[in-house]
Amino acid sequence: MNEIKDNTVSVVFVSLLLDLLAFTMILPLLPALLDHYKEIEKGNGLYSTIFNHMKSIQVFFDAPDKVSTVLYGGFLGSMYSFLQFLGSPIIGALSDIYGRKPLMLLCLTGISLSYLLWALSTNFGIFVLARFAGGISKGNISLSMAVISDVTSPKTRGKAMALVGIAFSVGFVVGPMIGAFFAWISSGNREGTWYVIPALFALFLALSDLFFVAYYLKESLATKNRATTLAKGLSGVISYINPVDLFQFNGVLNLNRKDQQDLKILGRAYFIYLFIYSGLEFTLTFLTHHTFGFTSMQQGWMFLWIGLIMATLQGGWVRHIPPNRTKIISELGLWLIIPAFICVGIATNVQVLCIGIFLFAVSTAMVVTCMMTLVTRIGPENQKGAITGIFRSLGALARACGPIVASSAFWCIGSATTYLTGALLLALPPLILRSIRTL
């Protein structure tokens, strides 16, 4: 039995890695893709309409011309996160009824379709449709957490959840490198449909993931442990996407009072943390470029080292944290992000900046994995899909809104004030999390 469980965790790890490699390889290609659609539309079309709105925001903030393109990328990222916010809790709740594997295959099929649409995106409208399909199908992440929760005990769950963190770290290191390679080989020829080759490679990774899961993943949720119904009626469906209901975890059935209270505390702490964190993380490229003159290559090296530090910590230390220390390490990581952003905000030289970035990487490695582990310990077993889906949905909503607010603050009140204010507000999540006495 343990062998089956270990095999399931390994399958989830490989599936996430393939998914994240395909997802992140587009990141270095995005500026060139946006330039491509701008050129072929020649001022007429969806790209130009949205770009004019981004340009007006850039002018309003009196930001450099280059920022309008960065904000455009931020708009696409926020749209993608917002779609995850809509899809993840519903997909998670459906998996509690119909099983993890059917919903996982459905998500991976949608993700594969999104890369096929990217390969066929002869105009910006099709490309946006591809991103739409990918975002709404991204419930596979919360399903992966639910699968791990199904096959592990509270004692071994932290170790398994750390593998999710490792998959993210490796994916966000190697994936952009693959994308940078495709950007390099196509740099001399950006005519026609140059993006088809990287799009087809992403499709290959996605299809490999789909067939791998179809063949190797065993259904982790036994029929006897499944929920019998989804929340009833239109109001029930709305409870999975209404932010007020999400923060209350109203879409989860049969929660006792203590579990619901603990989930509400965790959800609030996670949302506030990711809202501020994702915003400051997004503006980090603004800061390193305009304050320290970092090139795109130097920024790439910076994120490479962040990913390597995170992967090393998650693989060598975080996955071995005892269950009774998971909450303590979560709080420690939440406190550690405060001096990280203070160092980044006040940095006048690269040495201080590097200290802040190092603390940033260490904190991230601790917080995300440990909080994912904590949330899987709460609530009835036949509702883990809904619980992890709602938790991921709150994170996606935070990532959709945080960059918009932080970017606005960055250009209105300056980088130092933005980072110091963010660091001050980041004292709230660990204080909120501390109110959970036993977990």
Side-chain angles (χ1 to χ4, degrees):
M1 189 68 172
N2 287 334
E3 184 178 343
I4 294 175
K5 293 180 178 181
D6 291 342
N7 181 64
T8 300
V9 172
S10 299
V11 170
V12 169
F13 172 77
V14 173
S15 173
L16 278 174
L17 188 57
L18 289 170
D19 174 65
L20 291 165
L21 288 175
F23 170 71
T24 57
M25 63 170 282
I26 194 177
L27 300 179
L29 297 168
L30 197 54
L33 279 168
L34 295 179
D35 289 341
H36 169 77
Y37 293 117
K38 180 180 180 181
E39 290 174 9
I40 64 174
E41 284 192 359
K42 301 186 184 303
N44 298 304
L46 181 61
Y47 177 93
S48 300
T49 301
I50 298 174
F51 187 82
N52 289 335
H53 287 293
M54 296 296 105
K55 189 73 176 176
S56 63
I57 294 173
Q58 173 244 316
V59 171
F60 177 79
F61 290 137
D62 194 26
D65 287 338
K66 184 180 179 180
V67 170
S68 57
T69 303
V70 178
L71 289 175
Y72 207 124
F75 159 76
L76 290 176
S78 292
M79 180 194 76
Y80 200 90
S81 294
F82 182 74
L83 291 168
Q84 289 184 62
F85 153 71
L86 293 178
S88 290
I90 296 175
I91 290 169
L94 288 172
S95 79
D96 287 332
I97 300 173
Y98 301 108
R100 312 295 186 211
K101 187 171 181 177
L103 272 297
M104 181 74 84
L105 293 176
L106 179 64
C107 288
L108 295 178
T109 300
I111 291 169
S112 299
L113 176 63
S114 74
Y115 295 127
L116 177 61
L117 287 171
W118 176 23
L120 300 174
S121 58
T122 53
N123 60 62
F124 187 64
I126 299 176
F127 180 73
V128 171
L129 182 62
R131 300 299 288 172
F132 185 95
I136 205 71
S137 303
K138 211 60 182 169
N140 64 309
I141 306 293
S142 58
L143 287 178
S144 296
M145 294 167 57
V147 169
I148 289 176
S149 178
D150 291 338
V151 301
T152 57
S153 65
K155 185 177 180 180
T156 61
R157 193 164 297 157
K159 184 177 181 179
M161 282 295 176
L163 286 176
V164 175
I166 294 170
F168 269 86
S169 299
V170 174
F172 275 83
V173 169
V174 179
M177 291 175 66
I178 297 172
F181 171 74
F182 282 114
W184 175 70
I185 62 175
S186 64
S187 59
N189 180 24
R190 292 283 168 84
E191 302 293 331
T193 55
W194 59 270
Y195 54 85
V196 169
I197 294 177
L200 289 177
F201 184 75
L203 176 61
F204 166 75
L205 290 173
L207 288 175
S208 299
D209 190 9
L210 174 61
F211 292 126
F212 177 78
V213 167
Y215 186 78
Y216 286 106
L217 183 67
K218 307 298 182 185
E219 177 56 57
S220 62
L221 185 62
T223 304
K224 64 179 181 180
N225 294 330
R226 295 182 187 180
T228 56
T229 182
L230 198 63
K232 295 180 181 179
L234 179 62
S235 62
V237 175
I238 291 175
S239 70
Y240 291 108
I241 58 176
N242 179 0
V244 175
D245 286 317
L246 287 175
F247 279 105
Q248 299 293 323
F249 284 80
N250 288 336
V252 184
L253 304 175
N254 305 318
L255 273 179
N256 62 50
R257 188 167 185 174
K258 180 183 183 305
D259 283 350
Q260 185 172 34
Q261 185 62 26
D262 287 346
L263 284 173
K264 286 162 60 176
I265 292 170
L266 264 176
R268 286 198 297 267
Y270 189 62
F271 177 84
I272 295 171
Y273 164 74
L274 265 189
F275 177 80
I276 301 169
Y277 170 96
S278 64
L280 298 183
E281 179 190 40
F282 181 75
T283 60
L284 189 58
T285 53
F286 293 154
L287 179 121
T288 54
H289 176 73
H290 291 286
T291 303
F292 297 97
F294 276 24
T295 64
S296 297
M297 182 62 72
Q298 288 173 312
Q299 288 178 341
W301 280 110
M302 176 182 71
F303 285 110
L304 171 63
W305 283 110
I306 289 173
L308 289 175
I309 292 169
M310 288 173 57
T312 301
L313 284 173
Q314 287 165 336
W317 171 53
V318 175
R319 66 192 303 255
H320 297 296
I321 293 172
N324 63 336
R325 293 187 57 81
T326 305
K327 178 174 174 287
I328 296 173
I329 298 301
S330 295
E331 291 181 18
L332 178 60
L334 288 170
W335 285 116
L336 197 59
I337 197 67
I338 297 174
F341 282 132
I342 289 175
C343 288
V344 171
I346 66 172
T348 55
N349 57 66
V350 174
Q351 288 75 21
V352 176
L353 177 69
C354 287
I355 293 172
I357 290 172
F358 174 78
L359 294 174
F360 168 88
V362 173
S363 169
T364 303
M366 297 162 65
V367 172
V368 176
T369 297
C370 289
M371 292 196 76
M372 285 194 302
T373 303
L374 289 176
V375 79
T376 58
R377 294 180 185 170
I378 306 173
E381 293 301 317
N382 65 354
Q383 292 284 290
K384 293 300 184 185
I387 292 169
T388 56
I390 290 173
F391 194 68
R392 286 285 303 176
S393 182
L394 290 173
L397 180 61
R399 285 191 175 277
C401 302
I404 298 172
V405 175
S407 297
S408 302
F410 188 95
W411 298 112
C412 285
I413 62 178
S415 60
T417 304
T418 298
Y419 276 82
L420 292 176
T421 302
L424 178 64
L425 293 175
L426 279 167
L428 291 175
L431 292 175
I432 293 172
L433 188 59
R434 182 168 290 185
S435 61
I436 299 179
R437 298 301 178 190
T438 58
L439 193 61

